[in-house]
Amino acid sequence: MNLTVNGEQVVIPNTVKTVAELLQHFELNQKVVIVERNAEILEKAKHTDTQVSHGDKIELVHFVGGG
Amino acid sequence: MLKIGEYEFTSRLLLGTGKYPNFIIQKEAVDVSGTEILTFSVRRMNIFEASQPNFLENLDVAKYTLLPNTAGAKTAEEAVRIAKLAKASGLCDMIKVEVIGCQKTLLPDPVETLKASEELLKEGFTVLPYTSDDVLLARRLEELGCHAIMPGASPIGSGQGIINPLNLSFIIEQASVPVIVDAGIGTPSDAAVAMEMGAAGVLLNTAVSGAKDPVKMAEAMKLAVEAGKLGFEAGRIPKKRYATASSPLEGMSIS
């Protein structure tokens, strides 16, 4: 399926069904990462039962140094 | 004790995490500074380089209260979104509201800062707005219910120190929530002056991360904040126009 992740078009294997699996696909499952799916911000607890589907717009953000 | 909303801190130095030479120096500077509150920003990940280390992994995050900022936001709406993203990490509910209105001076947009703060207070955040040295704006932010007010000493990263001590003293005098001097601090003496004026704390980043020796500067800032606070509590002598001798004028052994 095709997703827009952080503004980039990416092709994701169809075995990826949920946000948690998507994070695993990008090897981000051990990182502090915040997910927004189609402009809806997801609490971490919702990653495992939030589905991703073709055409979704996903934002993956994290913390960087700043003042 | 520094009390911000429901949080209590012993240290009055809030430290930013941007622009250190590397993560090792950053960790050492953070340790030495004695800070209990770290600021940082929220940004998109580079999904194609997911293995890149993140600054958080080098720090014992549980030891600190995390104060994400909304840097990058130009409107209240953008600031609220960034704040909600940060909170969704489950790591923090404090937010430094930073809505920049001018890219050259990096001065905050007062109207958008006020709007964002109001919205985030409604959402239950502990709200610390970065504001200019405008006295009435500081009062309006406090009236909204902000948990601390953070006026800039001078433009972000400029190292010019406190350029409007009069306004800053008015802001401190009128506030019943902590006033934390944020941005523009260049030297330990700047930080000490802010504390001597009665500030509840100092937030700085570049003054430490950009110093020739960030670790040594972190220690200097820690000591300066402590010295300034003690000096404020001790109460300075009034300034006089002429000298007053410290040594007794009587009993001289010369005739």
Side-chain angles (χ1 to χ4, degrees):
Chain A
M1 78 187 137
N2 295 319
L3 300 176
T4 307
V5 181
N6 289 359
E8 308 263 356
Q9 299 291 326
V10 290
V11 181
I12 304 291
N14 285 326
T15 47
V16 172
K17 303 282 184 213
T18 67
V19 167
E21 286 164 4
L22 183 68
L23 294 181
Q24 205 145 21
H25 172 75
F26 285 121
E27 295 173 15
L28 295 174
N29 43 315
Q30 297 301 317
K31 302 243 175 188
V32 174
V33 47
I34 305 135
V35 184
E36 193 183 60
R37 177 181 163 266
N38 298 332
E40 188 200 347
I41 298 167
L42 303 173
E43 299 291 331
K44 204 178 173 186
K46 287 189 178 168
H47 289 183
T48 39
D49 32 81
T50 303
Q51 304 290 314
V52 284
S53 40
H54 184 79
D56 278 355
K57 283 197 171 119
I58 307 284
E59 284 286 319
L60 302 177
V61 304
H62 67 158
F63 296 137
V64 299
Chain B
M1 278 297 218
L2 169 61
K3 287 185 186 172
I4 304 173
E6 306 204 332
Y7 298 87
E8 287 189 359
F9 306 97
T10 310
S11 164
R12 293 173 180 273
L13 175 60
L14 291 75
L15 196 61
T17 56
K19 301 190 292 188
Y20 287 80
N22 59 55
F23 289 155
I24 296 161
I25 290 176
Q26 179 182 56
K27 184 186 184 312
E28 219 177 312
V30 168
D31 284 347
V32 164
S33 75
T35 191
E36 294 167 290
I37 307 175
L38 292 176
T39 63
F40 52 89
S41 307
V42 179
R43 290 290 180 271
R44 268 181 174 172
M45 292 187 103
N46 183 346
I47 46 167
F48 303 109
E49 287 183 58
S51 58
Q52 274 190 347
N54 184 271
F55 78 101
L56 278 179
E57 291 158 20
N58 280 280
L59 298 167
D60 182 3
V61 176
K63 265 171 59 184
Y64 303 99
T65 298
L66 302 181
L67 176 60
N69 64 37
T70 65
K74 292 179 185 148
T75 64
E77 199 184 338
E78 287 168 4
V80 169
R81 174 173 173 263
I82 294 170
K84 287 180 178 173
L85 283 168
K87 196 177 183 181
S89 70
L91 296 175
C92 43
D93 78 340
M94 261 193 184
I95 191 75
K96 168 177 162 176
V97 176
E98 179 176 345
V99 190
I100 298 304
C102 168
Q103 288 312 304
K104 192 172 177 184
T105 60
L106 297 181
L107 288 171
D109 183 319
V111 178
E112 297 299 313
T113 300
L114 201 68
K115 270 171 31 188
S117 298
E118 186 169 27
E119 179 65 27
L120 291 167
L121 285 163
K122 275 187 209 150
E123 298 272 347
F125 284 81
T126 301
V127 178
L128 296 78
Y130 162 63
T131 174
S132 66
D133 55 21
D134 188 281
V135 181
L136 274 300
L137 176 61
R139 185 185 293 175
R140 292 282 299 270
L141 286 163
E142 182 173 348
E143 282 167 1
L144 279 181
C146 288
H147 300 85
I149 309 295
M150 304 209 292
S154 52
I156 295 173
S158 72
Q160 292 185 50
I162 300 167
I163 55 170
N164 194 344
L166 184 67
N167 272 25
L168 186 58
S169 71
F170 290 152
I171 291 173
I172 291 169
E173 198 180 300
Q174 75 181 0
S176 53
V177 293
V179 173
I180 295 164
V181 175
D182 178 5
I185 298 292
T187 62
S189 58
D190 294 336
V193 167
M195 297 306 294
E196 284 171 26
M197 289 174 65
V202 170
L203 195 168
L204 52 87
N205 186 340
T206 311
V208 166
S209 66
K212 201 161 72 182
D213 184 339
V215 178
K216 200 168 264 187
M217 188 58 87
E219 184 175 12
M221 289 299 183
K222 169 194 155 82
L223 296 173
V225 167
E226 287 171 2
K229 177 67 179 166
L230 278 177
F232 172 72
E233 287 173 352
R236 63 153 299 152
I237 58 161
K239 287 185 183 175
K240 298 181 205 82
R241 186 162 165 78
Y242 292 106
T244 47
S246 312
S247 311
L249 298 171
E250 281 135 39
M252 297 285 288
S253 74
I254 44 170
S255 52

